[in-house]
Amino acid sequence: MDYQDITYEVREAAAWITINRPEKYNAFRGQTCEELIHAINKAGWDKEIAAIVLTGAGAKAFCTGGDQSAHDGAYDGRGTIGLPVEELQSLIRDVPKPVIARVNGFAIGGGNVLVTCCDLAIASSTAVFGQVGPKVGSVDPGFGTALLARVVGEKKAREIWMLCRRYPADQALQMGLVNAVVPPEELDQEVDRWCAEIAALSPTAIAIAKKSFNLDSESIRGISGMGMQALSLFYQTEESREGVKAFLEKRAPKFR
């Protein structure tokens, strides 16, 4: 595949996959998801790769979720809601390599869900986390909600979704959403250090451990499949369309 929206680079024993849409705050469209799926599969089954690093281009954003400019009652793409996002989220869990989120800026909406799905997360002190779905007539009814509750706790996960607040990196660390926070100029060095430590360990043991962790929450995949079907119907409503329209027009939505 010739990548348009991402870059793929191998550094030592780590594959670095970068969403390369800084002008869109690294929001993903259908093409972006397809390329991420291809690249994660490529790295995930390469025996020379010990870890996969997922990040965003530039200093402003890791990822800000679905590109609202590509949303008109559904996103572009082949998935249930247009974007094959449930396939992307599942793949991060399915590949037998640790996937590390290198969070260099805003991790909002679907970007926050990607952080949730990744095995590990290392953030710049400038990173900001949060969900935005209910502001734009959307939600992630699967890993973004149920798995988030397992990561940060039930009450905190409900707060994140029901208030749509933003959380700085130090708060994300306190709630367990990320593993480490470092100054922005030290982010790459820290990620490289973690990748090197992983590369020194047994790949089979790591793969079994990852699968064991995931099996406990595997039912969420089914929740996600059903939830995405409901979400595809919700996107056809005036309520959801108002959220997207208000976002694009840079005004407060009028849901009631």
Side-chain angles (χ1 to χ4, degrees), residues 21-82:
R21 305 187 79 215
E23 74 285 355
K24 295 286 188 178
Y25 285 82
N26 295 319
F28 46 72
R29 56 179 179 166
Q31 176 71 24
T32 320
C33 289
E34 296 292 0
E35 293 181 12
L36 287 170
I37 289 168
H38 183 276
I40 293 170
N41 256 318
K42 177 181 177 180
W45 301 101
D46 184 340
K47 293 182 179 180
E48 300 302 314
I49 298 298
I52 300 169
V53 178
L54 181 62
T55 190
K60 291 184 178 180
F62 165 75
C63 175
T64 54
D67 184 351
Q68 296 299 302
S69 65
H71 190 308
D72 183 18
Y75 288 100
D76 67 314
R78 62 176 173 79
T80 305
I81 60 170

Side-chain angles (χ1 to χ4, degrees), residues 212-227:
S212 298
F213 282 121
N214 289 344
L215 281 173
D216 184 54
S217 56
E218 187 61 16
S219 61
I220 297 174
R221 193 190 305 252
I223 295 171
S224 177
M226 179 65 74

Side-chain angles (χ1 to χ4, degrees), residues 67-235:
D67 184 351
Q68 296 299 302
S69 65
H71 190 308
D72 183 18
Y75 288 100
D76 67 314
R78 62 176 173 79
T80 305
I81 60 170
L83 297 170
V85 67
E86 66 266 45
E87 183 177 340
L88 173 60
Q89 294 167 355
S90 290
L91 183 61
I92 291 172
R93 290 164 55 87
D94 288 344
V95 291
K97 313 288 174 66
V99 182
I100 303 173
R102 171 193 174 273
V103 190
N104 49 308
F106 289 112
I108 303 295
N112 193 71
V113 179
L114 289 180
V115 174
T116 303
C117 290
C118 285
D119 299 287
L120 303 164
I122 303 169
S124 162
S125 57
T126 60
V128 179
F129 301 80
Q131 292 300 152
V132 71
K135 286 186 176 181
V136 295
S138 185
V139 68
D140 187 309
F143 291 113
T145 46
L147 184 60
L148 181 66
R150 290 179 180 240
V151 173
V152 304
E154 186 83 16
K155 295 296 186 184
K156 180 58 72 172
R158 289 172 188 253
E159 173 192 313
I160 289 169
W161 274 101
M162 295 179 178
L163 280 76
C164 291
R165 292 174 175 172
R166 293 188 177 184
Y167 303 85
D170 61 340
Q171 289 187 27
L173 180 63
Q174 291 171 6
M175 70 176 77
L177 185 58
V178 301
N179 299 89
V181 175
V182 296
E185 65 273 12
E186 298 177 15
L187 183 58
D188 283 1
Q189 181 181 4
E190 187 70 12
V191 172
D192 285 339
R193 184 180 300 115
W194 285 55
C195 289
E197 289 187 37
I198 291 169
L201 303 175
S202 162
T204 303
I206 293 290
I208 294 171
K210 176 169 178 172
K211 181 62 71 174
S212 298
F213 282 121
N214 289 344
L215 281 173
D216 184 54
S217 56
E218 187 61 16
S219 61
I220 297 174
R221 193 190 305 252
I223 295 171
S224 177
M226 179 65 74
M228 290 296 175
Q229 290 288 343
L231 189 60
S232 68
L233 299 176
F234 177 43
Y235 281 165

